[in-house]
Amino acid sequence: MPLKPVQTAVSVQPQAPAAPTVIPEQPPHHILFLTNLPEETNEMMLAMLFNQFPGYKEVRLVPGRHDIAFVEFENEVQAGVAKDTLQSFKLTPTHPMKISFAKK
């Protein structure tokens, strides 16, 4: 008498793809935090980009870190306009700038 193959039911639960790491959005602030900046970024380059927006005050680079900077505006509404307008702006073809409100 031939043996019959034994069938077992294995329930495989589909897993949701892992969500990409997302930096939680900070509440509005008059200072913007820039990331993903190319190595050649300098203060003048960022100042020329952001000074076209009303309320621009200054750019601050972080010593020892070429990839991040802060940009200060007179108020959070003016900072928000610059943030929304320049989000993902490419300073170089491979570096879309990421802009968020700085932590209070």
Side-chain angles (χ1 to χ4, degrees), residues 29-30 32 47-58 71-83 85-86:
H29 194 271
H30 70 283
L32 299 177
M48 287 177 66
L49 191 59
F50 283 91
N51 74 7
Q52 63 185 312
F53 294 93
Y56 167 80
K57 289 175 88 173
E58 70 173 330
V71 181
E72 185 174 355
F73 284 84
E74 290 176 8
N75 62 51
E76 58 192 41
V77 172
Q78 293 168 328
V81 170
K83 173 184 171 289
T85 303
L86 293 175

Side-chain angles (χ1 to χ4, degrees), residues 63-102:
R65 292 286 306 267
H66 72 270
D67 58 333
I68 62 174
F70 294 91
V71 181
E72 185 174 355
F73 284 84
E74 290 176 8
N75 62 51
E76 58 192 41
V77 172
Q78 293 168 328
V81 170
K83 173 184 171 289
D84 293 343
T85 303
L86 293 175
Q87 190 65 262
S88 298
F89 180 85
K90 290 184 178 182
L91 291 169
T92 65
T94 57
H95 286 83
M97 185 168 43
K98 297 196 181 354
I99 307 173
S100 60
F101 291 113

Side-chain angles (χ1 to χ4, degrees), residues 9-69:
V10 176
S11 175
V12 177
Q13 296 292 329
Q15 291 186 336
T21 303
V22 176
I23 299 170
E25 183 64 38
Q26 296 296 321
H29 194 271
H30 70 283
I31 298 175
L32 299 177
F33 178 57
L34 313 181
T35 60
N36 199 40
L37 301 175
E39 192 168 341
E40 58 270 25
T41 302
N42 61 47
E43 197 171 320
M44 183 187 298
M45 185 186 294
L46 293 174
M48 287 177 66
L49 191 59
F50 283 91
N51 74 7
Q52 63 185 312
F53 294 93
Y56 167 80
K57 289 175 88 173
E58 70 173 330
V59 168
R60 291 190 296 274
L61 299 179
V62 178
R65 292 286 306 267
H66 72 270
D67 58 333
I68 62 174

